[in-house]
């Protein structure tokens, strides 16, 4: 790669792909593939109880924060705002960030750039770069595979090994649940921290692991607990937060770093909380006390199947582990793959039943999906089992298989997937209820804990439970009577337990807020039935800009 002749004087536009996203169109948007984490792949069958929120495009935010050139990040543009931005400023470089599903949009954006800003150099990065032969499918000048900060620094003639500066990132925006959009106040939403990219476990289907080096490899932005502590202090200061979404594929795998972070938190009296991704084998490296003191409140954990052979599950009874974590107030988000090699129409009921029996707080189901760059993709390709002529826009794990499964048809793959979501919802109830149940367990266990940091964070949680969440539970109990009487009864007994702990407050808020939330969630059900979808707002952020004119 030849560095850009203008170096850090080059004017850079970094953009995500254009929306709207949650609708079917010729560029690859799909109604079932909205730009939302929970509603896309976790709570999507939960109707008005689904947790709705958007997440910024962190990859380009990280790149922007680590280059000295004048740079604009354009997040969630429409085709028009993208065209306007291109023509309003003479960009030397336009970088597009995309994943594989959005290939059609990248192709279109390259065409738009060539037309409206012909002198711009086009760089395409993110997971889309793993598509074999991509350079022949789009009109770009550079296709960047893997880590982009160091690439962009090299391209602009900067020191690629300089320390990584972490931007202040609010983890989610425009959160909605039960038909109500939550107010966005400073400090109200967790900060996202990205300690590393990739995962050394190298599960055969895992695209993030493969993209950043595969088995045994990953890229650490922050090696030590001390560095991480400093980054978190900065976010705490700028965003006034005490909760963090640790965007690291396997945060707990790096035990010395996590324990050093804990030590620093203790010394500084930080009552922080953390949502983390971790594999079962990594969680087992910690005692419950360590996790609780570290502030872990939410763990995203792969459950796959008791019969799968993934190293990350070795020695793990994931059901027992889930219940133990919940008993310590840690919300568990399980993740289960539908369509593993050993799955058949005959054993799917047992396999999904096993997943649902975990009774996690949240549960993601995802189709087994060979994606370019992964060992699974190579294996399927070598065996001639990949389906030809599939639109990449439909390969996102929430539609149908993109390969020939030994025992399950393509159409049935979707039926099993949809059924898994439904069963989890009907048997276990809304995730919001399950989360409340775990929070109460945590509070009861830790309200008198000797470490004040821990008591403080459980108190913060319980304040929500004794107020707003009490109203939500009141409404859920009523609304769920039609779906599953047993779940409705369980919600009622949770409410009774909360009332015993907070007799006055919970009663008042349930009475004041409950009927409103019942009404708003029924209204939301009607809107959803009429096809209502949600889109993220377009966001523009400029850096080093004053020097660029
Ligand atoms: C946050 C997130 C989302 C957000 C979207 C945020 C957004 N604004 O786009 C939400 C929740 C909405 C989402 C949705 C989906 N996602 Co998603 N998502 C992630 C997640 C968890 C984190 C992404 C992230 O910020 N990582 C940290 C940053 C630093 O890494 P990065 O983005 O890869 O960026 C680095 C490099 O890729 C590169 N780079 C990135 N962009 C650019 C641009 C340029 C110019 C250059 C030079 C370099 C470069 O440099 C960056 C720094 O090193 C990843 C998993 C993961 N751990 O990465 C999945 C992931 C990206 N999502 C994925 C998928 C499949 C989806 C969905 C289809 C849902 C699904 N069924 O799984 C939908 C698609 C929605 C849509 N309509 O587009 C896959 C992509 C697979 C693939 N090979 O394409 C991933 C990898 C998860 C996985 N393991 O399967 N997602
Ligand atoms: S443990 Fe999770 S993040 Fe790591 S390789 Fe396996 S699936 Fe990917």
């Amino acid at each position: 790669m030849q560095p850009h002749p203008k170096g850090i004087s080059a004017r850079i536009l970094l953009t995500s792909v254009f929306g709207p996203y949650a609708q079917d169109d010729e560029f690859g948007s799909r109604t079932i593939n909205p730009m939302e984490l929970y509603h896309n792949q976790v709570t999507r069958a939960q109707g008005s109880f689904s947790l709705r929120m958007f997440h910024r495009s962190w990859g380009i935010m990280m790149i922007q924060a680590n280059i000295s050139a004048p740079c604009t990040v354009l997040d969630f543009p429409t085709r028009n705002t993208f065209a306007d931005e291109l023509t309003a400023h003479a960009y030397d470089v336009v970088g597009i960030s995309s994943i594989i599903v959005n290939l059609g949009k990248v192709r279109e954006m390259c065409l738009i750039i060539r037309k409206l800003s012909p002198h711009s150099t086009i760089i395409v990065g993110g997971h889309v770069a793993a598509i074999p032969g991509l350079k022949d499918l789009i009109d770009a000048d550079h296709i960047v595979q893997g880590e982009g900060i160091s690439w962009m620094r090299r391209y602009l003639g900067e020191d690629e090994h300089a320390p990584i500066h972490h931007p202040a990132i609010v983890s989610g925006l425009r959160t909605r649940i039960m038909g109500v959009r939550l107010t966005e106040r400073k400090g109200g939403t967790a900060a996202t921290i990205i300690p590393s990219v990739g995962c050394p476990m190298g599960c055969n289907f895992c695209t993030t692991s493969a993209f950043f080096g595969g088995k045994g490899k990953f890229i650490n932005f922050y090696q030590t607990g001390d560095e991480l502590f400093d980054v978190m202090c900065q976010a705490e200061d700028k965003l006034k937060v005490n909760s963090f979404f640790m965007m690291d594929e396997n945060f707990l795998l790096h035990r010395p770093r996590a324990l050093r972070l804990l030590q620093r938190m203790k010394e500084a009296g930080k009552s922080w909380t953390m949502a983390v991704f971790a594999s079962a084998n990594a969680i087992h490296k910690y005692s419950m006390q360590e996790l609780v003191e570290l502030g872990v409140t939410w763990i995203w954990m792969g459950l796959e199947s008791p019969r799968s052979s993934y190293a990350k599950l070795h020695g793990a009874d994931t059901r027992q582990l889930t219940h133990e974590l919940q008993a310590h107030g840690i919300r568990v988000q399980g993740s289960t793959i539908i369509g593993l090699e050993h799955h058949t129409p005959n054993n799917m009921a047992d396999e999904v039943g096993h997943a649902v029996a975990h009774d996690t707080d949240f549960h993601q189901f995802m189709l087994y999906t060979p994606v370019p760059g992964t060992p699974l993709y190579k294996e399927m390709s070598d065996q001639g089992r990949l389906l030809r002529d599939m639109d990449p826009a439909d390969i996102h794990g929430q539609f149908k298989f993109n390969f020939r499964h030994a025992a399950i048809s393509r159409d049935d793959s979707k039926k099993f997937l949809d059924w898994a979501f439904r069963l989890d919802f009907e048997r276990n109830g809304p995730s919001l209820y399950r989360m409340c149940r775990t929070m109460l367990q945590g509070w009861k266990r830790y309200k008198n804990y000797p470490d004040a940091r821990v008591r403080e964070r459980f108190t913060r949680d319980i304040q929500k439970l004794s107020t707003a969440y009490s109203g939500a539970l009141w409404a859920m109990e009523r609304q769920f009577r039609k779906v599953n009487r047993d779940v409705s009864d369980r919600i009622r007994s949770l409410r009774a337990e909360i009332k015993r702990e907070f007799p006055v407050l919970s009663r008042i808020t349930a009475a004041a807020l409950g009927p409103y939330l019942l009404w708003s969630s029924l209204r939301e059900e009607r809107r959803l039935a009429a096809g209502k979808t949600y889109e993220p707002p377009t966001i523009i952020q400029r850096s080093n800009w004053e020097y660029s004119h």
Side-chain angles (χ1 to χ4, degrees):
M1 171 264 288
Q2 279 288 98
H4 195 280
K6 289 195 182 171
I8 58 167
S9 307
R11 200 179 293 183
I12 320 270
L13 172 63
L14 297 174
T15 177
S16 50
V17 297
F18 61 84
Y21 309 95
Q23 59 167 45
D24 296 334
D25 73 17
E26 77 263 40
F27 303 112
S29 283
R30 296 288 184 266
T31 313
I32 58 164
N33 191 24
M35 191 51 86
E36 294 176 65
L37 171 59
Y38 291 95
H39 197 65
N40 185 315
Q41 63 216 68
V42 184
T43 52
R44 73 172 167 89
Q46 300 195 7
S48 63
F49 302 115
S50 180
L51 180 56
R52 318 284 308 245
M53 68 166 83
F54 304 106
H55 299 279
R56 294 285 310 276
S57 303
W58 299 322
I60 48 179
M61 291 175 81
M62 288 293 284
I63 296 175
Q64 181 186 39
N66 286 284
I67 56 176
S68 325
C71 179
T72 302
V73 159
L74 177 62
D75 219 352
F76 312 123
T78 59
R79 291 179 80 215
N80 286 343
T81 51
F82 176 58
D84 289 350
E85 185 60 29
L86 272 181
T87 44
H89 308 281
Y91 285 106
D92 299 296
V93 175
V94 182
I96 306 170
S97 178
S98 173
I99 60 175
I100 291 176
V101 272
N102 295 319
L103 171 65
K105 297 187 179 193
V106 177
R107 187 188 294 120
E108 175 69 7
M109 289 171 90
C110 290
L111 293 175
I112 297 175
I113 300 166
R114 293 295 187 223
K115 194 164 146 213
L116 299 182
S117 185
H119 69 281
S120 299
T121 303
I122 304 180
I123 305 176
V124 171
H127 287 268
V128 74
I131 297 180
L134 179 65
K135 67 176 178 26
D136 301 323
L137 302 175
I138 57 172
D139 183 8
D141 300 299
H142 300 282
I143 291 169
V144 179
Q145 292 194 334
E147 209 285 292
I149 299 173
S150 53
W151 190 94
M152 200 56 114
R153 281 173 162 176
R154 268 199 313 280
Y155 183 62
L156 299 174
E158 298 200 72
D159 175 8
E160 65 175 289
H161 302 294
I164 301 285
H165 177 69
H166 202 298
I169 305 177
V170 176
S171 74
L173 51 145
R174 300 216 172 163
T175 306
R176 290 181 74 84
I177 192 155
M178 298 177 80
V180 176
R181 181 163 150 198
L182 307 188
T183 48
E184 280 168 15
R185 59 174 177 82
K186 195 154 192 171
T189 310
T192 295
I193 303 288
I194 307 174
S196 72
V197 285
C199 171
M201 295 306 290
C203 299
N204 66 342
F205 59 83
C206 182
T207 167
T208 17
S209 176
F211 196 62
F212 296 101
K215 208 177 184 81
K217 307 226 174 65
F218 64 101
I219 295 165
N220 248 347
F221 292 147
Y222 305 103
Q223 300 278 357
T224 65
D226 292 300
E227 286 172 83
L228 214 46
F229 179 76
D230 290 344
V231 165
M232 292 166 78
C233 284
Q234 285 158 20
E236 176 189 45
D237 191 42
K238 277 195 197 140
L239 301 173
K240 307 291 169 229
V241 290
N242 45 33
S243 59
F244 299 88
F245 179 79
M246 306 302 278
M247 186 54 253
D248 182 312
E249 286 290 32
N250 211 333
F251 180 73
L252 295 176
L253 205 55
H254 314 287
R255 183 172 156 85
R257 184 175 72 182
L259 290 188
R260 176 66 186 152
L261 175 63
L262 171 57
Q263 195 183 346
R264 293 293 304 273
M265 284 168 59
K266 279 185 171 170
E267 285 164 10
K270 297 289 185 195
S271 175
W272 288 344
T273 60
M274 261 171 248
V276 304
F277 295 77
S279 53
N281 68 332
I283 299 169
H284 275 305
K285 292 182 181 181
Y286 299 78
S287 66
M288 286 297 144
Q289 188 188 338
E290 282 169 336
L291 293 176
V292 166
E293 293 191 352
L294 194 56
V296 174
T297 46
W298 185 91
I299 294 187
W300 182 313
M301 167 171 67
L303 303 175
E304 309 346 341
S305 150
R307 288 172 58 194
S308 65
S309 55
Y310 293 110
K312 63 178 172 180
L313 295 175
H314 278 173
D317 174 345
T318 50
R319 264 161 78 168
Q320 199 262 330
L321 178 59
T322 299
H323 291 140
E324 195 181 354
L325 290 165
Q326 290 171 325
H328 290 265
I330 300 174
R331 276 81 92 186
V332 177
Q333 161 137 358
S335 174
T336 295
I337 295 182
I338 303 290
L340 289 168
E341 295 284 2
H342 70 272
H343 285 165
T344 67
N346 289 336
N347 66 24
M348 275 317 286
D350 281 351
E351 292 275 317
V352 172
H354 170 79
V356 168
H358 282 75
D359 197 359
T360 54
D361 300 74
F362 293 89
H363 211 128
Q364 161 180 273
F365 294 93
M366 186 64 82
L367 289 180
Y368 196 48
T369 306
V371 175
T374 60
L376 178 64
Y377 184 85
K378 182 168 181 331
E379 191 187 314
M380 291 283 179
S381 170
D382 291 349
Q383 293 172 4
R385 291 170 64 194
L386 291 174
L387 298 179
R388 288 174 195 283
D389 303 324
M390 284 229 24
D391 188 333
D394 293 316
I395 307 176
H396 50 69
Q398 292 296 326
F399 183 50
K400 294 178 180 179
F401 283 153
N402 64 332
F403 70 103
R404 245 181 312 107
H405 190 277
I408 298 173
S409 72
R410 196 166 126 73
D411 287 342
D412 282 350
S413 67
K414 176 153 174 53
K415 285 184 196 143
F416 284 126
L417 180 75
D418 292 347
W419 173 66
F421 276 111
R422 258 198 331 272
L423 191 73
D424 183 61
F425 179 48
E426 285 168 13
R427 261 201 206 151
N428 298 322
S431 286
L432 183 57
Y433 146 65
R434 304 188 229 169
M435 219 177 78
C436 291
R437 187 185 53 191
T438 305
M439 283 160 79
L440 185 65
Q441 288 193 68
W443 155 258
K444 283 180 154 178
R445 194 170 198 130
Y446 289 100
K447 62 183 173 186
N448 297 318
Y449 196 67
D451 185 340
R453 295 176 318 111
V454 173
R455 287 199 308 275
E456 195 185 315
R457 74 174 179 80
F458 279 101
T459 305
R460 284 200 303 268
D461 264 3
I462 212 67
Q463 276 162 356
K464 290 181 223 152
L465 197 56
S466 57
T467 55
Y469 290 174
S470 283
L473 287 167
W474 185 95
M476 267 183 259
E477 181 194 326
R478 272 152 194 81
Q479 213 177 326
F480 227 75
R481 272 183 203 153
K482 294 188 290 296
V483 184
N484 182 337
R485 184 81 210 192
D486 175 50
V487 170
S488 175
D489 290 345
R490 275 186 267 153
I491 299 175
R492 174 190 286 273
S493 49
L494 176 64
R495 288 186 51 230
E497 260 187 87
I498 297 173
K499 260 194 233 157
R500 276 197 292 280
E501 294 280 326
F502 309 95
V504 182
L505 208 52
S506 68
R507 207 180 296 261
I508 295 173
T509 43
L513 204 59
Y516 171 72
L517 288 174
L518 181 60
W519 170 80
S520 65
S521 62
L522 290 172
R523 181 190 57 179
E524 185 75 354
E525 294 290 352
R526 285 193 299 277
R527 284 181 179 159
L528 295 174
K532 173 82 187 150
T533 54
Y534 293 97
E535 295 291 343
T538 300
I539 296 169
I540 298 185
Q541 273 173 320
R542 304 192 199 278
S543 58
N544 309 316
W545 200 249
E546 58 274 30
Y547 309 112
S548 71
H549 294 282

